[in-house]
Amino acid sequence: MRRSADIDALQHALCAALGSRAPVCTLARLGQDTGALAALDPAVLDRPTLVHGGAPYGPSSPAPAPHALNALLRRAETLHAPQVLVPHVRRTDDTGPLRAAGFVPLATAPECVVRLTGEVDDVLRARVGPARLRDLRRRHHAVSRDLTWERIRLSRLDAKPWARDAFVELHRRRAEHHGGGHNPYTADALDALASGVLADRTEMFVRRRGNAVVQAGLVTVAHNGRGLYHLTQAVDHDDPAAGRNLYVASLYRLYLDARHSGLRWVHLGRGDAERKRRLGADLFVPLDHWLRAPGLGPAPNREAEPALSRFAAPPVTAVPVPGPARFRHRPRFDTVDLSGNTNPFLEPESQYPHLDTAELARTYLAAVSKVPGHNDLTGLSADHLLFSSGAVDGVMLLLAALASPGERVCVTPPTFELYAHFARVLRLPVVEVPLRGDDLSRLDSERILAADPRVTLLCDPNNPVGTRLDRDQVRTLVTRTRGVVVIDEAYVEFSGSPSYAGLVAEHDNLIVLRTLSKAWGLAAARCGVALAQPGLVDALRRVQVPFGFTDASQHAVRDRLTNSRRALASMRLIRAERDRMAAALAHHPAVDRVFPSEANFLLVRLRKHERVMEHLRGAGIVVADTARLLPATCRISVGDRRANNALLEALSFAL
């Protein structure tokens, strides 16, 4: 909760729970995040501490501005509190004043948010997969058959004393169940909430079996009216329904209610990120407690932002990441955002796409690691990844970010023609060093090194040939060149040889480009991926249009990656069809040669090129004519069996 009036109301409830006019208690009694406080000296846990905000209630509190912080310290002195705790501060807030005032950060669990970007079941299927969704639905339906569901506005709680009493009793028993720790939901605390500014936005949800209350909790609508905070719930563990995981079933019901009410997110509070992912959370905001206490050492320095890559072009070093992308990790879901100049009456389509794609990057790395040859990605994180609107867009970004006019770009024909095209558009001289060997799989490494290119673009597996480059030559080139090596792996999922993505963590001059258009079947979603060290990713982000990766594309990508079984199976089918087609074409009288392929296409040299191509066009079959790159050749994409058989039949009548 980011509004000061809401935080004041929560602090009033905390004082009521503590039975005090001021929020002063020991950290041990407060019972907040024992894991974060476990390393502290026991004396720190037992000293009176002034608590800022409503620690046990609020999802997070903004870092106090300097004037508010000074007032907090003066209040601590007046109350003779030797310690001050500012809990649950987002790391994206300005914490400089806290550090300067002698506060020390203590890492705690992140706050977790489920963003409702569509119908609930569609969202959850894309986040947790169909099996987990079926489990959530099953629990929800089983509980709904046995128990009623009711929501009571807190400002009208006086009319339902049974709900108030049951809520207090269940939370008292929950506190006892957890060792008799602090219970922030006493009768006095609940009454304080019911009489404060949150009363009209807060509801109690209750499940009953007959007249017996089995579960009671609280939710609050955000002050911007766009989402729901899940504050608490307690369950009667003696009831048979408790074994059906009422907590999970009720969250699913809250998602449905929120979506029906036009809300866009549900805040699940703080907790283990992996557990919350299984409940559909897709936004995780890192938090710290900030504590000022006698004997605590100076605040440790956070890891600095990664230095910009030494390969960034001079103009790029002089500009920051464009404004919106610079603040991509700063969540705005629970603020009133009047900064975008969009139409508020035509939402949600009028809103700009999400820029924080860290969770989607984690999903991508997890899904790709299931592809053979990709089990060495454990050293990569979201900081090593940049999404672009297609891998071709990634080529344009890296050329603009890393090369200045006059600096050479090396390509290795036959190769993807847009490499040279974009280089020339950007006034970069292009050096062509053709591939060698009968299968066009060997680099002329010495010529490439002699050209001293700023950027060398390799396509592996090669398009249009389909072969893989000699791996030792590629690694030698990455090690010896003074420039950047870019390996376009658009087709690597179809290869039996490993990806180069795992080497990104070892080399600051290596960029691996990937796409979801080919093996993952998302050409319409326009999603490319650049994998590189964070300093290179930062350089690319400085020239990228901030909102090119749309919410619709992000949703399609998340759905495909989460539910990857079908895509992975299709990759195996394509490889099998490729091998079948290669064998059939190799013995066809119209074909002079089939090049070996580790992609989802075959490069074929024809005996009577013009005649065969004309016949295929007449048969309604389109293949790529690559004769301008390699004489008498065409590139044939691997289709389904029916399409492939149609091609073979048409070829039989071509001569």
Side-chain angles (χ1 to χ4, degrees):
M1 296 184 182
R2 313 299 284 174
R3 194 174 69 158
S4 57
D6 295 346
I7 295 168
D8 290 344
L10 294 173
Q11 186 167 91
H12 183 52
L14 174 61
C15 290
L18 295 172
S20 169
R21 298 181 61 184
V24 176
C25 66
T26 66
L27 294 177
R29 183 185 177 195
L30 189 65
Q32 283 291 292
D33 300 323
T34 54
L37 306 176
L40 295 176
D41 188 294
V44 176
L45 299 178
D46 292 330
R47 288 194 198 111
T49 304
L50 175 63
V51 182
H52 172 74
Y57 309 99
S60 67
S61 299
H67 69 279
L69 186 58
N70 290 335
L72 183 66
L73 295 176
R74 288 195 300 270
R75 189 181 186 196
E77 186 175 353
T78 301
L79 295 170
H80 305 291
Q83 299 181 164
V84 181
L85 176 69
V86 180
H88 310 128
V89 176
R90 293 175 182 170
R91 289 183 189 167
T92 51
D93 286 355
D94 180 10
T95 57
L98 285 166
R99 190 179 297 272
F103 285 78
V104 174
L106 304 170
T108 186
E111 55 181 331
C112 311
V113 182
V114 178
R115 290 182 288 192
L116 300 175
T117 54
E119 294 304 316
V120 171
D121 284 0
D122 293 338
V123 168
L124 292 177
R125 187 179 296 108
R127 303 264 177 82
V128 302
R132 179 62 175 159
L133 171 61
R134 285 193 297 270
D135 181 65
L136 290 172
R137 287 172 55 87
R138 178 181 60 80
R139 293 179 186 277
H140 165 65
H141 291 310
V143 168
S144 298
R145 284 195 301 267
D146 291 347
L147 306 175
T148 62
W149 170 268
E150 186 175 357
R151 289 175 62 167
I152 306 164
R153 195 177 299 277
L154 218 57
S155 58
R156 300 172 185 168
L157 192 59
D158 285 345
K160 308 254 180 155
W162 57 267
R164 174 186 180 277
D165 294 343
F167 176 93
V168 172
E169 175 61 17
L170 286 176
H171 280 79
R172 183 192 66 77
R173 287 162 57 184
R174 186 181 72 173
E176 288 182 352
H177 181 74
H178 289 89
H182 174 63
N183 176 16
Y185 288 103
T186 63
D188 290 339
L190 185 61
D191 291 343
L193 287 172
S195 62
V197 297
L198 292 173
D200 284 330
R201 300 199 332 255
T202 302
E203 290 183 326
M204 180 181 295
F205 62 88
V206 176
R207 287 194 187 273
R208 286 195 287 174
R209 185 188 302 279
N211 291 325
V213 176
V214 177
Q215 180 188 37
L218 290 180
V219 290
T220 296
V221 176
H223 79 281
N224 64 4
R226 293 175 178 267
L228 195 69
Y229 295 106
H230 171 258
L231 298 183
T232 184
Q233 59 171 291
V235 174
D236 180 0
H237 289 282
D238 295 329
D239 189 275
R244 297 174 185 159
N245 202 334
L246 279 175
Y247 173 79
V248 170
S250 293
L251 286 181
Y252 181 79
R253 177 61 187 261
L254 289 174
Y255 299 163
L256 295 175
D257 287 0
R259 175 67 181 175
H260 180 73
S261 300
L263 302 180
R264 300 179 189 172
W265 50 266
V266 175
H267 193 292
L268 301 183
R270 301 173 295 276
D272 175 70
E274 195 53 44
R275 181 167 179 259
K276 301 296 187 183
R277 281 191 184 97
R278 294 196 294 271
L279 297 173
D282 72 323
L283 180 63
F284 303 90
V285 185
L287 302 178
D288 293 303
H289 300 311
W290 286 82
L291 178 64
R292 185 185 186 196
L296 285 187
N301 289 323
R302 289 277 181 212
E303 292 183 9
E305 289 290 322
L308 185 65
S309 171
R310 61 191 173 98
F311 296 103
V316 174
T317 64
V319 297
V321 173
R326 187 163 65 251
F327 303 118
R328 64 192 180 280
H329 294 313
R330 187 172 299 174
R332 291 188 175 183
F333 65 92
D334 55 357
T335 60
V336 176
D337 187 358
L338 300 177
S339 65
N341 300 340
T342 58
N343 188 333
F345 302 104
L346 297 176
E347 295 181 346
E349 291 79 9
S350 68
Q351 294 299 302
Y352 284 112
H354 295 300
L355 286 174
D356 188 351
T357 55
E359 183 63 13
L360 186 58
R362 188 205 67 84
T363 302
Y364 174 81
L365 292 171
V368 170
S369 66
K370 301 175 185 176
V371 179
H374 293 73
N375 56 0
D376 60 346
L377 302 184
T378 54
L380 303 184
S381 68
D383 293 333
H384 292 87
L385 191 151
L386 178 74
F387 289 107
S388 61
S389 54
V392 173
D393 180 50
V395 174
M396 192 71 163
L397 288 177
L398 66 90
L399 290 176
L402 307 179
S404 299
E407 292 183 317
R408 289 181 288 276
V409 173
C410 181
V411 297
T412 58
T415 192
F416 188 48
E417 294 179 285
L418 284 182
Y419 301 154
H421 171 82
F422 285 141
R424 293 186 176 108
V425 166
L426 294 172
R427 291 179 290 179
L428 303 171
V430 176
V431 177
E432 295 187 351
V433 181
L435 295 173
R436 304 167 70 180
D438 189 49
D439 293 337
L440 300 174
S441 61
R442 294 192 61 80
L443 298 170
D444 192 341
S445 302
E446 295 305 320
R447 278 190 62 190
I448 295 174
L449 292 170
D452 194 24
R454 180 68 171 181
V455 178
T456 300
L457 288 153
L458 306 178
C459 191
D460 188 34
N462 179 275
N463 176 18
V465 183
T467 50
R468 294 297 302 265
L469 297 173
D470 182 278
R471 194 168 184 85
D472 290 337
Q473 286 189 311
V474 172
R475 296 195 69 156
T476 299
L477 181 63
V478 172
T479 302
R480 292 179 59 192
T481 185
R482 296 197 305 167
V484 176
V485 176
V486 180
I487 304 177
D488 183 350
E489 292 189 339
Y491 302 94
V492 75
E493 291 93 343
F494 304 109
S495 173
S497 301
S499 164
Y500 289 98
L503 299 180
V504 160
E506 302 175 18
H507 300 280
D508 71 345
N509 67 330
L510 175 61
I511 301 176
V512 173
L513 294 181
R514 307 294 293 273
T515 181
L516 278 83
S517 296
K518 310 299 183 182
W520 296 95
L522 287 176
R526 306 310 306 136
C527 177
V529 173
L531 295 164
Q533 291 197 4
L536 274 172
V537 170
D538 186 25
L540 302 185
R541 190 170 274 121
R542 293 186 185 206
V543 299
Q544 184 179 39
V545 175
F547 298 111
F549 189 25
T550 68
D551 280 347
S553 293
Q554 292 178 43
H555 179 80
V557 168
R558 185 182 293 108
D559 186 35
R560 184 60 48 85
L561 295 174
T562 303
N563 307 296
S564 61
R565 182 178 300 177
R566 184 180 170 208
L568 295 172
S570 71
M571 297 175 203
R572 293 190 292 270
L573 291 173
I574 287 173
R575 288 194 290 268
E577 274 296 289
R578 177 193 67 198
D579 296 343
R580 181 182 78 89
M581 287 292 291
L585 290 169
H587 297 94
H588 201 286
V591 174
D592 181 53
R593 184 189 177 190
V594 180
F595 285 77
S597 175
E598 294 195 50
N600 65 336
F601 57 81
L602 295 166
L603 184 71
V604 175
R605 188 161 58 220
L606 301 170
R607 295 190 186 279
K608 295 182 179 180
H609 176 266
E610 292 299 331
R611 181 175 173 180
V612 172
M613 293 298 293
E614 182 179 354
H615 181 79
L616 290 177
R617 285 191 291 270
I621 295 174
V622 180
V623 298
D625 188 345
T626 52
R628 66 191 182 282
L629 301 175
L630 288 168
T633 63
C634 69
R635 190 193 66 199
I636 302 171
S637 297
V638 177
D640 60 24
R641 182 163 286 243
R642 180 176 180 179
N644 295 335
N645 288 341
L647 172 79
L648 293 174
E649 182 181 359
L651 280 177
S652 298
F653 297 98
L655 295 181

